[in-house]
């Protein structure tokens, strides 16, 4: 018994690749030997291979079976060693799947894909961001980078987790930064000092802009005075942590009902939303665009961040214009469809 236990422990430590090679060699070798012993029983080598597989899998349909003494002795050999080898392979496969899942849950696996969105630093805000992204585009893939050691959202295959320092080039490469569509950096809620939190965010943003300057980066900052530092590293958009909440509360108090409008615009699942539409060739001025969108039930809102275009409707639309409208999704889809036609 001690010898048997020592042997089994040694077998279990054999590399998976070696075990798979041995099993394949055993199966094909056994099929060749079985066909050589009883060619009249199996007729072809493939039938012998089929018999070996059904015997090792303990299925045994009975359509092929050994008839000679040597054939039956070889069958006993397959019973003893073949079934044991197959069980060992199944155990290794289960162990491999378990290891892969543990590595996925611990954030150790690289992401493989493109046009995904990267969220950095896990928090409730990141969770809400995931819900908003998936409500806007259910087919989107999201990569979460955080310094924790456990996947924050289990049971969601479209959300990949990578554990590590988000300012590290190695970690950003594991997240396929250069193939990503956008990055959102949230302030690290584990840092109590706002200046330090913004400092970490700035370091992450600098690393991202150095590795992939063309990617669209949005960051959350905690102190408005640090805005100029983020502009210096060419961050595309930034959001002040407490600014939006405070201003929304004041508007709700002084202008009753305004907060409901703003909530609709920032939450896709409620009311109308903001959409970007392409500039049509027949639209020469903002008035043309305004009337064209209005025909479909959409309201022209801005050109990029310029909300004052309704006061300059006769101005020509510049070549680099990016027009945004307020509408429901159905109207937006109709605008896109007619544009393609």
């Amino acid at each position: 018994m001690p010898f048997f236990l020592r042997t089994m422990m040694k077998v279990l430590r054999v590399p998976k690749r070696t075990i798979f090679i041995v099993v394949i060699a055993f199966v094909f070798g056994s099929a060749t030997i079985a066909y050589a012993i009883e060619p009249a029983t199996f007729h072809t080598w493939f039938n012998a291979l089929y018999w070996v597989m059904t015997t090792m899998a303990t299925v045994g349909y009975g359509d092929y079976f050994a008839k000679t003494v040597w054939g039956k002795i070889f069958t006993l050999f397959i019973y003893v060693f073949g079934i044991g080898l197959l069980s060992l392979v199944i155990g290794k496969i289960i162990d491999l799947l378990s290891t892969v899942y543990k590595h996925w849950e611990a954030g150790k696996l690289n992401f493989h894909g493109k046009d995904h969105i990267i969220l950095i630093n896990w928090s409730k805000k990141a969770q809400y961001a995931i819900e908003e992204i998936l409500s806007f585009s259910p087919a989107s893939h999201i990569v979460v980078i955080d310094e924790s050691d456990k996947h924050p959202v289990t049971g969601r295959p479209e959300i990949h987790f990578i554990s590590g320092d988000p300012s590290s080039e190695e970690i950003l490469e594991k997240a396929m930064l250069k193939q990503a569509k956008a990055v959102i950096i949230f302030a690290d809620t584990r840092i109590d000092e706002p200046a330090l939190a913004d400092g970490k965010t700035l370091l992450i943003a600098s690393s991202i802009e150095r590795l992939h300057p063309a990617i669209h980066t949005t960051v959350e900052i905690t102190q408005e005075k640090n805005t100029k530092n983020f502009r210096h590293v060419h961050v595309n958009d930034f959001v002040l942590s407490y600014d939006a909440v405070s201003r929304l509360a004041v508007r709700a108090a002084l202008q009753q009902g305004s907060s409901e409008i703003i909530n609709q615009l920032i939450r896709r699942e409620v009311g109308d939303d903001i959409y970007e539409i392409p500039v049509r060739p027949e639209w020469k001025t903002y008035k043309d665009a305004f009337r064209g969108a209005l025909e479909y039930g959409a309201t022209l809102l801005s050109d990029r961040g310029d909300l004052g275009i309704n006061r300059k409707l006769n101005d020509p639309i510049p070549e680099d214009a990016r027009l945004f409208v307020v509408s429901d999704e159905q109207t937006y889809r109709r605008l896109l469809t007619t544009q393609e036609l």
Side-chain angles (χ1 to χ4, degrees), residues 20-39:
F20 289 133
I21 292 174
V22 170
V23 170
I24 291 173
F26 180 87
V27 170
F28 282 85
S30 296
T32 304
I33 294 172
Y35 180 62
I37 293 176
E38 296 194 19

Side-chain angles (χ1 to χ4, degrees), residues 71-85:
K72 293 177 179 179
I73 292 174
F74 185 66
T75 302
L76 294 175
F77 171 78
I78 293 179
Y79 285 157
V80 174
F81 294 99
I83 295 174
L85 274 177

Side-chain angles (χ1 to χ4, degrees), residues 253-301:
L254 300 181
Q255 297 176 329
Q256 290 82 1
S258 62
S259 62
E260 182 180 350
I261 299 172
I262 298 172
N263 276 325
Q264 286 190 33
L265 295 178
I266 64 176
R267 296 179 62 191
R268 178 175 172 77
E269 66 272 16
V270 180
D272 286 1
D273 204 351
I274 299 175
Y275 297 94
E276 181 178 359
I277 59 171
V279 179
R280 299 189 177 189
E282 65 268 24
W283 293 350
K284 305 303 180 182
T285 65
Y286 287 121
K287 182 183 291 185
D288 297 333
F290 183 87
R291 290 176 175 174
L294 194 61
E295 288 179 0
Y296 290 88
T299 302
L300 185 63
L301 179 65

Side-chain angles (χ1 to χ4, degrees), residues 206-280:
S206 300
S207 298
I208 291 171
E209 293 300 323
R210 176 176 58 84
L211 295 173
H212 190 10
I215 195 168
H216 188 281
T217 308
T218 304
V219 302
E220 175 194 8
I221 60 177
T222 59
Q223 293 183 318
E224 187 173 5
K225 66 180 182 180
N226 294 326
T227 302
K228 57 182 179 295
N229 296 324
F230 287 93
R231 293 189 188 278
H232 182 69
V233 296
H234 305 294
V235 167
N236 299 93
D237 293 295
F238 53 87
V239 179
L240 292 170
S241 294
Y242 313 110
D243 182 72
V245 176
S246 301
R247 293 180 185 275
L248 186 59
V250 171
R251 287 179 179 273
L254 300 181
Q255 297 176 329
Q256 290 82 1
S258 62
S259 62
E260 182 180 350
I261 299 172
I262 298 172
N263 276 325
Q264 286 190 33
L265 295 178
I266 64 176
R267 296 179 62 191
R268 178 175 172 77
E269 66 272 16
V270 180
D272 286 1
D273 204 351
I274 299 175
Y275 297 94
E276 181 178 359
I277 59 171
V279 179
R280 299 189 177 189

